[in-house]
Every structure is written in structure tokens, then in C-alpha cells.
Amino acid sequence: MSHDFRPAADRSDRALLAYVQQELSAPADAIAGYAEILLDEAERNGHGEFRDDLEKIHAASRSLIDFIASLVSRSRAPTQGPGEDSEDYRRLLRHNLRTPINAIKGYGEMLREDAAGVDDARALVSDLNRLLEEASRLLERIDGLVNFSLPETEAAADAEVGSGPVSAMVAHRFVASVQPISENEADSVAVQPSRILVVDDNASNRELLKRRLERQGHSVALAENGSCSLKMLRQAPFDLILLDLLMPDISGFDVLSILKSDPDLRDIPVIVISALNEIDSIVRCIEAGADDYLAKPFDPVLLRARIGSSLEKKHLRDREREALEALCTEKERSEQLLLNILPAPIVARLKSGETVIADHVNDVTILFADFVGFTELSSRLPAPELVGVLGRVFSAFDGLALNFGVEKIKTIGDAYMVACGLFGNRGDHAHAVADMALAMAETLEILNETLPAPLEIRMGMNSGDVVAGVIGAHKFIYDIWGDAVNIASRLESNSLPGRIQVSRSTYEHLCRDFILTPRDSLEIKGKGAMEAFFLTGRRQDAASR
């Protein structure tokens, strides 16, 4: 179907008629709508005495609508009717519009008087008032709207008093702002050449669409039926589907339903092109997910515009999805970075909006570990090598913390600090830290075989109450404080190389399942004499208890 390219004058005439028809149709449709409601109300409420007048009002409203619709069937705005001058034509137009409106007003006003005395007809009177208001409004506008054929100079003068030429000005402005379609526009190269699947059981239709789309720069694949199209869609990506409805094996509607129920295919836009141009099919296809619906034979310029719009929206969705995926990736990376700095429960609390996090936690086990003679080693090793040694050892310790469910608190130079029991009700917090301390000693022994210089470690453990929270606003950290923490630090600094020293409180937790040896004559700065034990291993029968 070739596009009808008309001169600008014809476009102005058609725009003018469409504008007048639009302005007349809105109140006329409202009048018909109220008439239908009134008929329904009268039937439902048993007011049969009003039915004859309501049917006359409804018939007059339909006559008015039909006449208004006939205006746009003309090819040009009538500056002159057959055998009549312009004023005679406008006089006839006013007459043909006013006749049904006057009938509507006459019957409506008489009916309102009759219904006013009926107690249960208040709703009917209310709707009658609305109907009469619309009729009066339309009647008032007739003179202005039927003057659409005035010349431009008269239109400009009359526009000041709000009469009909305003419609001509609206039409002229519209035509001036909308560029006319050129003869070669149907086959001009698309802004975004894309991959399109044409699904049609008619070979002629397929080939015609293929040739036209390829001239626009698109890559086109053809499917002769619904089954073939579904197979092709699962084998290769497409940007758009042109889908026929009436096909012998699987209907286009069924293909559409299958596509929109498949998570991998539902985002591909679909334009239905069918000879079936009835409202039920159009509505159901749009409801099922079709992006557009075109009737055969289609206008190639309109088809190109619809394809361009669908592809633009599809590519925009693709870019939005890519941006969202990139944002999710960055969010996951940021959250992982935050989890590398803070414990997961603390991260969750910060994300929920807490700004001050400070907790008193009962019965926690703390471990401090420090390398013996590390200061001397740091003076002998180059900086990169020294950092590499610490990185290897502490990374191994981090893995042990994850395995045993122990929370790493921080590293301070060559010191390593962990705790357990800070989150949730964990009764085996001392056992977890003890198992990790033993594993740390074993791991360091293995690592020493490959390190540039062997390391020795001493450790201290204590159990008790702590205060825990997040401090700082820039480069913040999660930390713990309290006497229990200080004692664990003192036990580490007063321990021996390669030994794990624990306090009496930790001993009470571990004595049944671990091997602990008392230590004599331990003096702790600020605490005086303190009972302490060396942790040497797990009892072999501990697992059975």
C-alpha cells in the first residue's frame, strides 16, 4: 500500500476538520453516555414512564454523533458547499447541529420537570442535569466552531473574542509543527539497524516485508509458521518480531502468549500485523504483551515508524538493564568491601539506618597473637618482602577465622586480634577460639618452610564481658573494649614463643575438652599475680562428649 502524499493545503484542511470534529464530539459523546445511563437507571428502578422521552433523547444524541462523524469524511474543509456560498453553508451546518441538540434539551427539560416530583428519581434528575449542561455547553460553542472556514486575516481578528477561527489557528500551527512525510521515507535507512524476525505463513508477505526491512538496513530472518519462529527465537537473539495472527499450526496469539511467559524471550518487542482488524483481537494482543498492532494491508511509512519506536524502546530497555546490572555489580563489590571491613551483622545494622552502634556483650572470648622478634626481622627484610610475609600469614589466619566462625577484629602492626561470641548466643565461643589458636600454630609451622625467615608466635586468650561498637566517621572500624580485652592482651605479651596462654575464665570453658597446663608465678601489669594456663591441644575423647 503506497502512502498518500498530499500538499500542505490538504493537510491543513484535514487537521482543521479533525479539530472541529474533536471539539464537537466530546460533549456529544458525553450526552449520549448520560442518555444510556439514564435509560439503564429508569429500567433498573422501575420508571417505565420515562422511557419514551429517554429513548428520544438517546436517538437525538446518536443522530448528532453521526452527523459530527460525517464532517471528517470530507476531503477538504468546505469553504463553499455545492451551489451555496460560505455563509449559507455555515448556516446549514448550524441548523444540522442545533436541531438534535434542541430536541435533547426540550425532551430533557420536560423529563426533569416530570421526575422532580418523584421521590426515588433523585439520581435520574442529577444525571439529567449533567446531560442538559453538556447540551447547553455544546450549543454555546456551535457558532465559534462552524466559522472554521474564515480566511486567515479574519481568523486573526476574530480570535480576540474567542470565536471559531481559533480552530483554524490551531490547525495551521499543528501542520506547521509536524513535518510532512517524504516519498522515500518508507525505505530510508533506520537510525538503529537491528535483527528482525518476520513470522507469516504467506510467502509473499514474508518476502515483501524482508525486502522492505533490508532496504532500511535491518537484518531479517523469516519463519513460515509459529513452531518455526519459536525454534529460531531460542537459537539466536532478535531485537523485534513482526507476527501474523492467522497461521495454520500455532496461531500468532498463542506464539505471543508463549513468548511473554518465557523469561528469556519476554523482553523482545512484538508488533502484530494481521488482516484481522477487529477490536477484540487488538485488545487481547495488547493485553497479552504485544507492543503494537497493524492491520493488513499496512502503510509502509506507518510500519517503519512503529518499528522504529519499538526498537528504540527495546534498545533503551537494554541499556537500562545493562546499567542496572553494572549498578548491582558495583553494589555487590561495595558490600563485599564493607564486609571485609566490618562484621556482617554490623553491616546489616548500618544499612538499616543505625548511626550509633554500641553494645555490651556478655561472655566473649578474645585472642591476641603477636610475632616474636618481628621488629628485628623488619629491619633485615626489604619492605615489599616484609609486607608479603605478613600478607601470606595473615591471609592464612583470615581463612581459619572463617572456617571456625571467629570474628577478626583487627591487625595492629604484626599483632592479630580475633573474638568469638559477639553475635548471637554461641556457647562454644571459647572452644572456637581455642581450635583456631591451635590451627594458627600449625599453619605458621607449615608456612615457615617457605618464608624467607622463620616466624615464632605467642598468643593470649581471655573470656569475659566487653563493649563493642563502630567508631569513626572516616575509615571507621569495628572494635571491642573492656577489662577482658586488656587481660587477653597482657596474657599475649607475657606468653612464651610458640605457646598459647589462657586465663582462668577461659580455662573454665575449655578444661573438659582441651589439654591445659598451669603456669607458675605470672605477674600481669596492673593486675598483679594471675592464674594462667598453657593450651597445648584437644583431648582425644573430646569429640565423643
mmCIF file of all heavy atoms in Angstrom, residues 367-385:
data_model
loop_
_atom_site.group_PDB
_atom_site.id
_atom_site.type_symbol
_atom_site.label_atom_id
_atom_site.label_comp_id
_atom_site.label_asym_id
_atom_site.label_seq_id
_atom_site.Cartn_x
_atom_site.Cartn_y
_atom_site.Cartn_z
ATOM 1 N N LEU A 367 41.261 -13.356 71.551
ATOM 2 C CA LEU A 367 42.601 -13.885 71.297
ATOM 3 C C LEU A 367 43.473 -12.774 70.713
ATOM 4 O O LEU A 367 43.078 -12.097 69.767
ATOM 5 C CB LEU A 367 42.547 -15.049 70.307
ATOM 6 C CG LEU A 367 43.907 -15.487 69.729
ATOM 7 C CD1 LEU A 367 44.628 -16.380 70.729
ATOM 8 C CD2 LEU A 367 43.759 -16.198 68.398
ATOM 9 N N PHE A 368 44.671 -12.587 71.311
ATOM 10 C CA PHE A 368 45.714 -11.747 70.724
ATOM 11 C C PHE A 368 46.870 -12.647 70.306
ATOM 12 O O PHE A 368 47.224 -13.586 71.047
ATOM 13 C CB PHE A 368 46.227 -10.716 71.736
ATOM 14 C CG PHE A 368 45.366 -9.479 71.831
ATOM 15 C CD1 PHE A 368 44.344 -9.403 72.755
ATOM 16 C CD2 PHE A 368 45.603 -8.398 70.996
ATOM 17 C CE1 PHE A 368 43.557 -8.260 72.848
ATOM 18 C CE2 PHE A 368 44.830 -7.255 71.088
ATOM 19 C CZ PHE A 368 43.796 -7.183 72.010
ATOM 20 N N ALA A 369 47.426 -12.379 69.132
ATOM 21 C CA ALA A 369 48.609 -13.115 68.668
ATOM 22 C C ALA A 369 49.639 -12.106 68.182
ATOM 23 O O ALA A 369 49.286 -11.092 67.565
ATOM 24 C CB ALA A 369 48.236 -14.069 67.541
ATOM 25 N N ASP A 370 50.903 -12.374 68.472
ATOM 26 C CA ASP A 370 51.965 -11.443 68.094
ATOM 27 C C ASP A 370 53.197 -12.253 67.716
ATOM 28 O O ASP A 370 53.454 -13.320 68.279
ATOM 29 C CB ASP A 370 52.270 -10.510 69.270
ATOM 30 C CG ASP A 370 53.042 -9.279 68.839
ATOM 31 O OD1 ASP A 370 53.273 -9.136 67.624
ATOM 32 O OD2 ASP A 370 53.427 -8.488 69.709
ATOM 33 N N PHE A 371 53.955 -11.754 66.742
ATOM 34 C CA PHE A 371 55.167 -12.435 66.321
ATOM 35 C C PHE A 371 56.339 -12.039 67.226
ATOM 36 O O PHE A 371 56.486 -10.870 67.602
ATOM 37 C CB PHE A 371 55.503 -12.108 64.866
ATOM 38 C CG PHE A 371 54.488 -12.634 63.894
ATOM 39 C CD1 PHE A 371 53.711 -11.763 63.143
ATOM 40 C CD2 PHE A 371 54.305 -13.989 63.743
ATOM 41 C CE1 PHE A 371 52.779 -12.245 62.256
ATOM 42 C CE2 PHE A 371 53.373 -14.482 62.861
ATOM 43 C CZ PHE A 371 52.593 -13.616 62.113
ATOM 44 N N VAL A 372 57.150 -12.999 67.553
ATOM 45 C CA VAL A 372 58.333 -12.768 68.403
ATOM 46 C C VAL A 372 59.490 -12.303 67.520
ATOM 47 O O VAL A 372 59.775 -12.911 66.484
ATOM 48 C CB VAL A 372 58.726 -14.060 69.151
ATOM 49 C CG1 VAL A 372 59.969 -13.826 70.008
ATOM 50 C CG2 VAL A 372 57.559 -14.560 69.994
ATOM 51 N N GLY A 373 60.156 -11.221 67.904
ATOM 52 C CA GLY A 373 61.323 -10.732 67.163
ATOM 53 C C GLY A 373 60.992 -10.154 65.811
ATOM 54 O O GLY A 373 61.864 -10.095 64.936
ATOM 55 N N PHE A 374 59.760 -9.694 65.603
ATOM 56 C CA PHE A 374 59.387 -9.187 64.289
ATOM 57 C C PHE A 374 60.065 -7.843 64.001
ATOM 58 O O PHE A 374 60.380 -7.546 62.850
ATOM 59 C CB PHE A 374 57.863 -9.029 64.190
ATOM 60 C CG PHE A 374 57.380 -8.722 62.806
ATOM 61 C CD1 PHE A 374 57.272 -9.727 61.854
ATOM 62 C CD2 PHE A 374 57.068 -7.420 62.425
ATOM 63 C CE1 PHE A 374 56.853 -9.449 60.575
ATOM 64 C CE2 PHE A 374 56.654 -7.138 61.150
ATOM 65 C CZ PHE A 374 56.537 -8.157 60.216
ATOM 66 N N THR A 375 60.291 -7.054 65.039
ATOM 67 C CA THR A 375 60.948 -5.764 64.826
ATOM 68 C C THR A 375 62.335 -5.957 64.219
ATOM 69 O O THR A 375 62.741 -5.248 63.290
ATOM 70 C CB THR A 375 61.055 -4.999 66.153
ATOM 71 O OG1 THR A 375 59.740 -4.824 66.697
ATOM 72 C CG2 THR A 375 61.710 -3.645 65.945
ATOM 73 N N GLU A 376 63.075 -6.944 64.749
ATOM 74 C CA GLU A 376 64.410 -7.235 64.207
ATOM 75 C C GLU A 376 64.308 -7.727 62.768
ATOM 76 O O GLU A 376 65.090 -7.337 61.895
ATOM 77 C CB GLU A 376 65.099 -8.274 65.073
ATOM 78 C CG GLU A 376 66.502 -8.649 64.584
ATOM 79 C CD GLU A 376 67.094 -9.810 65.373
ATOM 80 O OE1 GLU A 376 66.502 -10.211 66.390
ATOM 81 O OE2 GLU A 376 68.137 -10.308 64.930
ATOM 82 N N LEU A 377 63.288 -8.572 62.502
ATOM 83 C CA LEU A 377 63.111 -9.095 61.136
ATOM 84 C C LEU A 377 62.789 -7.965 60.162
ATOM 85 O O LEU A 377 63.290 -7.961 59.032
ATOM 86 C CB LEU A 377 61.991 -10.135 61.135
ATOM 87 C CG LEU A 377 61.649 -10.773 59.783
ATOM 88 C CD1 LEU A 377 62.823 -11.578 59.262
ATOM 89 C CD2 LEU A 377 60.407 -11.635 59.908
ATOM 90 N N SER A 378 61.988 -7.002 60.588
ATOM 91 C CA SER A 378 61.599 -5.906 59.696
ATOM 92 C C SER A 378 62.777 -5.034 59.304
ATOM 93 O O SER A 378 62.747 -4.374 58.263
ATOM 94 C CB SER A 378 60.524 -5.047 60.374
ATOM 95 O OG SER A 378 61.036 -4.434 61.539
ATOM 96 N N SER A 379 63.808 -5.015 60.129
ATOM 97 C CA SER A 379 64.990 -4.223 59.788
ATOM 98 C C SER A 379 65.882 -4.943 58.782
ATOM 99 O O SER A 379 66.737 -4.315 58.163
ATOM 100 C CB SER A 379 65.783 -3.896 61.062
ATOM 101 O OG SER A 379 66.304 -5.088 61.642
ATOM 102 N N ARG A 380 65.691 -6.241 58.619
ATOM 103 C CA ARG A 380 66.545 -7.027 57.721
ATOM 104 C C ARG A 380 65.909 -7.263 56.349
ATOM 105 O O ARG A 380 66.613 -7.442 55.373
ATOM 106 C CB ARG A 380 66.882 -8.377 58.365
ATOM 107 C CG ARG A 380 67.787 -8.247 59.590
ATOM 108 C CD ARG A 380 68.296 -9.611 60.059
ATOM 109 N NE ARG A 380 67.265 -10.417 60.686
ATOM 110 C CZ ARG A 380 66.712 -11.502 60.154
ATOM 111 N NH1 ARG A 380 67.098 -11.885 58.948
ATOM 112 N NH2 ARG A 380 65.798 -12.189 60.806
ATOM 113 N N LEU A 381 64.578 -7.275 56.295
ATOM 114 C CA LEU A 381 63.898 -7.591 55.029
ATOM 115 C C LEU A 381 63.499 -6.304 54.301
ATOM 116 O O LEU A 381 63.095 -5.318 54.924
ATOM 117 C CB LEU A 381 62.639 -8.420 55.294
ATOM 118 C CG LEU A 381 62.830 -9.866 55.748
ATOM 119 C CD1 LEU A 381 61.476 -10.515 55.999
ATOM 120 C CD2 LEU A 381 63.606 -10.662 54.718
ATOM 121 N N PRO A 382 63.576 -6.299 52.954
ATOM 122 C CA PRO A 382 63.057 -5.165 52.181
ATOM 123 C C PRO A 382 61.546 -5.015 52.423
ATOM 124 O O PRO A 382 60.848 -5.997 52.712
ATOM 125 C CB PRO A 382 63.345 -5.547 50.728
ATOM 126 C CG PRO A 382 64.398 -6.610 50.812
ATOM 127 C CD PRO A 382 64.165 -7.330 52.098
ATOM 128 N N ALA A 383 61.061 -3.805 52.288
ATOM 129 C CA ALA A 383 59.651 -3.528 52.586
ATOM 130 C C ALA A 383 58.678 -4.423 51.812
ATOM 131 O O ALA A 383 57.754 -5.000 52.402
ATOM 132 C CB ALA A 383 59.360 -2.052 52.324
ATOM 133 N N PRO A 384 58.832 -4.573 50.474
ATOM 134 C CA PRO A 384 57.878 -5.432 49.750
ATOM 135 C C PRO A 384 57.883 -6.868 50.271
ATOM 136 O O PRO A 384 56.829 -7.503 50.371
ATOM 137 C CB PRO A 384 58.359 -5.366 48.300
ATOM 138 C CG PRO A 384 59.127 -4.087 48.209
ATOM 139 C CD PRO A 384 59.787 -3.937 49.543
ATOM 140 N N GLU A 385 59.081 -7.375 50.608
ATOM 141 C CA GLU A 385 59.179 -8.748 51.094
ATOM 142 C C GLU A 385 58.548 -8.879 52.469
ATOM 143 O O GLU A 385 57.856 -9.861 52.772
ATOM 144 C CB GLU A 385 60.642 -9.178 51.136
ATOM 145 C CG GLU A 385 60.828 -10.685 51.248
ATOM 146 C CD GLU A 385 62.267 -11.106 51.002
ATOM 147 O OE1 GLU A 385 63.080 -10.261 50.578
ATOM 148 O OE2 GLU A 385 62.562 -12.285 51.231
#
